[in-house]
Amino acid sequence: MLITDIERRLHKHQPRSIDTPLPEAAVLIPLVTNDQGQATEIILTRRASHMNKHSGEVAFPGGKREDDDHNLIQTALRESQEEIDLNPASVQILGTMGPVISRFGIKVIPVVGSVPENLSLNANIEELDRIFHVPLEFFTNLDNLQFHHWSMNDKTYSMPSYQYGEYLIWGLTAIMLVEFLNVGLNTTIPLDAPQFHASHSFTQNR
């Protein structure tokens, strides 16, 4: 998929808004782009096992907005530099997605950016234990998509997930990923998640 096509689709997209006043955060969805301008991979991380929150979980680089951040794009770039040593100057911002609500009551904005191939990245071991790349074609192959059932307020939701080798991509990360695939790559993966709404407390239903 050409980066120019993804950028065009993101600019045409009208993201939802959530007016509930909540703490804000942003993540970067980094698309590795080759010399022909094609997005080939997505960069993901795994949180270190000693972290108090999200330990061992797969995530996009990102974090809470700080007072000095001019906007949430700057938040995503600052956090990406802190977590994976990604120089903001190496990122071409393509657009943003609508907010989702984490289970901790934080409003998260996904920022989509293009980064060149063969960047030297380094994991901040205070927060991460791994940086890894997943081919985009893995996510667009529906044979790799799984759904798990979650319940909240007497309603059951089908939550997407992927198993890529040793990495389970699920939860809020999978939700943001699938919404990006639907908007930016024109996939049609079903997505009905409680995180799109201001009510964010839920429990897993096995």
Side-chain angles (χ1 to χ4, degrees):
M1 174 69 67
L2 288 173
I3 282 294
T4 51
D5 291 336
I6 295 173
E7 185 175 29
R8 176 176 51 80
R9 290 193 174 105
L10 288 172
H11 285 178
K12 289 176 61 178
H13 176 60
Q14 295 184 341
R16 78 194 146 268
S17 62
I18 296 176
D19 296 329
T20 306
L22 292 170
E24 292 183 312
V27 300
L28 181 69
I29 301 180
L31 305 178
V32 177
T33 306
N34 63 22
D35 292 339
Q36 289 75 46
Q38 294 176 321
T40 58
E41 297 174 317
I42 291 182
I43 300 172
L44 288 156
T45 72
R46 187 171 67 189
R47 312 299 292 179
S49 59
H50 62 258
M51 297 291 290
N52 291 329
K53 293 181 179 179
H54 309 294
S55 62
E57 293 184 8
V58 169
F60 293 114
K64 280 189 176 182
R65 182 175 187 169
E66 295 186 353
D67 292 339
D68 293 339
D69 293 339
H70 297 302
N71 53 46
L72 286 165
I73 291 176
Q74 184 177 353
T75 300
L77 293 175
R78 174 184 54 75
E79 287 284 345
S80 297
Q81 186 168 33
E82 292 175 4
E83 292 185 1
I84 64 173
D85 199 24
L86 175 59
N87 187 338
S90 299
V91 183
Q92 175 190 348
I93 299 299
L94 303 177
T96 59
M97 304 292 296
V100 291
I101 308 298
S102 80
R103 65 180 183 268
F104 298 107
I106 299 172
K107 186 187 298 186
V108 184
I109 295 289
V111 178
V112 183
S114 168
V115 301
E117 289 182 309
N118 302 318
L119 281 181
S120 177
L121 302 174
N122 300 288
N124 179 345
I125 60 173
E126 293 184 0
E127 299 185 37
L128 309 175
D129 69 10
R130 198 70 56 85
I131 301 170
F132 63 102
H133 296 215
V134 182
L136 266 178
E137 61 185 16
F138 175 84
F139 293 123
T140 57
N141 183 343
L142 296 183
D143 290 339
N144 297 321
L145 178 66
Q146 305 173 49
F147 286 94
H148 297 281
H149 298 296
W150 295 70
S151 63
M152 184 185 74
N153 298 332
D154 298 323
K155 183 175 180 180
T156 299
Y157 299 87
S158 293
M159 308 287 278
S161 67
Y162 295 88
Q163 186 74 49
Y164 183 71
E166 65 183 284
Y167 305 107
L168 175 61
I169 304 165
W170 68 291
L172 199 68
T173 299
I175 290 167
M176 292 186 290
L177 170 64
V178 167
E179 188 175 27
F180 160 70
L181 295 174
N182 285 343
V183 174
L185 276 67
N186 208 29
T187 59
T188 56
I189 300 170
L191 189 58
D192 178 27
Q195 284 90 341
F196 290 155
H197 310 290
S199 179
H200 55 80
S201 176
F202 58 91
T203 57
Q204 191 169 7
N205 178 26
R206 291 295 186 186

